[in-house]
Amino acid sequence: DSGVTQTPKHLITATGQRVTLRCSPRSGDLSVYWYQQSLDQGLQFLIQYYNGEERAKGNILERFSAQQFPDLHSELNLSSLELGDSALYFCASSVGGRRTGELFFGEGSRLTVL
Amino acid sequence: AQSVTQLDSQVPVFEEAPVELRCNYSSSVSVYLFWYVQYPNQGLQLLLKYLSGSTLVKGINGFEAEFNKSQTSFHLRKPSVHISDTAEYFCAVSDTGANNLFFGTGTRLTVIP
């Protein structure tokens, strides 16, 4: 158990819909990262938050947005969903804002868009 | 920017045999290197990391990796694998400013009894 909690574990929805994925980092970790894992793209970095503020941005689509709340949990919002958005979405956390150390990953949220 | 190439998408190996999973990186600046493992239906967990110092890095579960700057490689090795090592292995690189972490496409290690 990494200490990172993601909900829901599985989600099935239709094209055009909007979903929200939730992540609770390990106790004491200030940074939260979101990654997308798909068969054709591999593991892609989406976005990082540190103590409530956006720290780094990767290959995140404009239809996607995220935020980190004062209690440090984070939400990833995916809107106008397309078939290609079907993937496993991972949240990870770390103590600091720089990735010199270990990232702790949750078990992921599997999104299926039909 | 940095990038990582994992040359083998799948590696089957018999139990108790040695294994090497290959990783090459590309970067114009100094890097940090990582190997993560993903067991079925689980998230990724860190196996080992190279930040500086000795180029031979030892990790959990008997794995080790060697940083070779001239060959821009960071291959993962284990002298004798177990069934429980069956998993997906990801090599990752970041610049020393740690502004981003790039993952390779992964190598699926299958240990055959």
Side-chain angles (χ1 to χ4, degrees):
Chain A
D1 182 5
S2 67
V4 178
T5 304
Q6 289 188 248
T7 57
K9 292 194 184 309
H10 301 276
L11 190 56
I12 301 173
T13 189
T15 54
Q17 295 298 305
R18 172 190 170 96
V19 299
T20 297
L21 309 180
R22 182 188 168 100
C23 170
S24 294
R26 287 190 325 154
S27 177
D29 284 359
L30 299 179
S31 272
V32 170
Y33 311 79
W34 285 98
Y35 285 86
Q36 180 193 58
Q37 186 180 38
S38 60
L39 286 175
D40 55 344
Q41 299 270 345
L43 197 62
Q44 298 282 318
F45 167 68
L46 296 178
I47 197 163
Q48 178 203 354
Y49 279 83
Y50 175 73
N51 204 20
E53 304 221 346
E54 184 182 304
R55 174 64 66 95
K57 216 166 188 176
N59 301 320
I60 188 166
L61 300 172
E62 285 191 11
R63 300 184 285 111
F64 297 179
S65 65
Q67 54 183 327
Q68 186 179 27
F69 294 87
D71 67 352
L72 300 178
H73 91 270
S74 177
E75 292 181 358
L76 178 67
N77 299 296
L78 315 175
S79 61
S80 301
L81 285 168
E82 302 175 359
L83 296 177
D85 298 327
S86 295
L88 194 52
Y89 291 85
F90 284 109
C91 169
S93 71
S94 68
V95 173
R98 295 194 176 276
R99 267 157 285 190
T100 55
E102 182 172 356
L103 292 189
F104 294 87
F105 282 79
E107 295 187 355
S109 292
R110 184 171 295 281
L111 173 66
T112 303
V113 182
L114 300 176
Chain B
Q2 294 76 45
S3 66
V4 174
T5 301
Q6 291 184 245
L7 298 166
D8 306 299
S9 59
Q10 296 188 57
V11 173
V13 63
F14 286 103
E15 194 174 13
E16 297 184 6
V19 69
E20 178 180 83
L21 305 184
R22 296 181 293 169
C23 172
N24 287 88
Y25 69 91
S26 173
S27 177
S28 58
V29 298
S30 297
V31 297
Y32 297 142
L33 293 156
F34 308 80
W35 276 99
Y36 279 81
V37 60
Q38 184 180 24
Y39 297 105
N41 300 314
Q42 294 187 28
L44 282 74
Q45 64 181 86
L46 184 69
L47 264 184
L48 48 80
K49 61 186 177 186
Y50 170 79
L51 303 182
S52 65
S54 173
T55 57
L56 184 62
V57 179
K58 293 189 184 299
I60 62 172
N61 300 338
F63 283 93
E64 64 180 32
E66 186 158 17
F67 171 55
N68 188 320
K69 189 175 181 180
S70 62
Q71 296 187 7
T72 61
S73 68
F74 190 56
H75 300 333
L76 181 71
R77 301 185 183 99
K78 186 170 182 177
S80 175
V81 295
H82 302 290
I83 296 291
S84 60
D85 294 323
T86 293
E88 187 100 19
Y89 292 79
F90 292 90
C91 182
V93 63
S94 73
D95 60 64
T96 54
N99 292 315
N100 208 339
L101 186 63
F102 295 91
F103 283 88
T105 50
T107 297
R108 182 172 298 278
L109 174 64
T110 302
V111 181
I112 305 163

